[in-house]
Amino acid sequence: MPIYEFVCKVCGKRFSHLVLSADDQKDVKCPQCGSADVKRVFSPFGSLGSSTSSSSGGSCTSFG
Ligand SMILES: [Zn+2]
């Protein structure tokens, strides 16, 4: 299934959306703020199953 990844340009929310047709991705809205101002991003592995192992170094990611 063609699951594309989008990022909201308003709140920065990143989400994946199932796009069945070419016109479908035009109607993608942000699930967080409901804005239609989203941009499609290309992920190398898709949206599911990303395993990154970081042994050293501290990555501080603030969520929310
Ligand atoms: Zn948003």
Side-chain angles (χ1 to χ4, degrees):
M1 287 186 290
I3 297 179
Y4 295 147
E5 206 164 345
F6 294 87
V7 61
C8 179
K9 287 194 278 188
V10 178
C11 68
K13 171 70 176 181
R14 194 164 175 168
F15 59 97
S16 56
H17 184 81
L18 175 63
V19 177
L20 297 175
S21 64
D23 287 337
D24 198 15
Q25 61 181 304
K26 297 177 183 174
D27 199 30
V28 178
K29 291 181 181 178
C30 174
Q32 185 163 272
C33 70
S35 174
D37 195 6
V38 297
K39 189 182 77 170
R40 184 181 159 192
V41 293
F42 295 93
S43 59
F45 301 107
S47 59
L48 298 177
S50 63
S51 62
T52 56
S53 62
S54 61
S55 59
S56 63
S59 61
C60 185
T61 55
S62 62
F63 198 83

